[in-house]
Amino acid sequence: MKIAFVSTIRSAPWGGSKELWFQSAERALDENHAVSIFVYKWPEEPLMLKQLRDKGAYIHKRKLAFSFAWRILYKFTKLVGLGDSLALNPYRKIKELRPDRIVVTDGATYYAANDNWLRN
């Protein structure tokens, strides 16, 4: 089975809710499932992510903030009718991987609800 774990936590590189999916991801890897992890990119990678990568997990890191040029490009694609262009979507890799299950962890109220890309 292919499982994707998506963390929406932007306030810290690691926290209590990440501990929960970390344990689930580790067990899934031990049972030979394909595991993909989608987290925000931090200056230092948490040790637990390194452990999951060493066990075979695919780690995808997305930006915490988008550059001015990226925001202009995004507004332009909306203006010309391209909508939420898949090329700009930080979660596009999930669609490519086609997981059987997606686990979204929301460490604070409405992080996931306010993430336009995740809703698509």
Side-chain angles (χ1 to χ4, degrees), residues 2 86 91-99:
K2 295 189 286 186
L86 183 60
Y91 298 105
R92 69 184 170 273
K93 194 70 176 172
I94 293 175
K95 289 185 179 191
E96 292 173 19
L97 294 171
R98 298 182 49 160

Side-chain angles (χ1 to χ4, degrees), residues 39-53:
V39 293
Y40 284 105
K41 183 176 183 177
W42 293 90
E44 297 226 3
E45 182 177 73
L47 177 61
M48 290 66 133
L49 287 180
K50 292 176 184 174
Q51 290 174 353
L52 292 173
R53 181 183 294 110

Side-chain angles (χ1 to χ4, degrees), residues 14 41 46 56 80 85 93 102 110 113:
W14 202 259
K41 183 176 183 177
V80 297
S85 172
K93 194 70 176 172
I102 300 174
Y110 303 120

Side-chain angles (χ1 to χ4, degrees), residues 7-100:
S7 175
T8 64
I9 301 166
R10 298 185 289 262
S11 57
W14 202 259
S17 64
K18 288 185 178 182
E19 281 296 324
L20 298 174
W21 65 252
F22 166 76
Q23 292 174 26
S24 298
E26 197 170 43
R27 183 168 179 178
L29 287 165
D30 289 343
E31 294 176 3
N32 295 318
H33 296 289
V35 173
S36 301
I37 311 290
F38 293 81
V39 293
Y40 284 105
K41 183 176 183 177
W42 293 90
E44 297 226 3
E45 182 177 73
L47 177 61
M48 290 66 133
L49 287 180
K50 292 176 184 174
Q51 290 174 353
L52 292 173
R53 181 183 294 110
D54 289 346
K55 284 188 160 196
Y58 168 81
I59 310 291
H60 177 79
K61 297 177 184 176
R62 59 195 187 280
K63 295 178 182 185
L64 270 166
F66 294 102
S67 68
F68 180 72
W70 187 94
R71 290 188 306 240
I72 294 292
L73 180 60
Y74 175 71
K75 288 186 186 287
F76 176 75
T77 61
K78 294 281 246 186
L79 183 67
V80 297
L82 294 176
D84 290 331
S85 172
L86 183 60
L88 299 177
N89 188 332
Y91 298 105
R92 69 184 170 273
K93 194 70 176 172
I94 293 175
K95 289 185 179 191
E96 292 173 19
L97 294 171
R98 298 182 49 160
D100 300 303

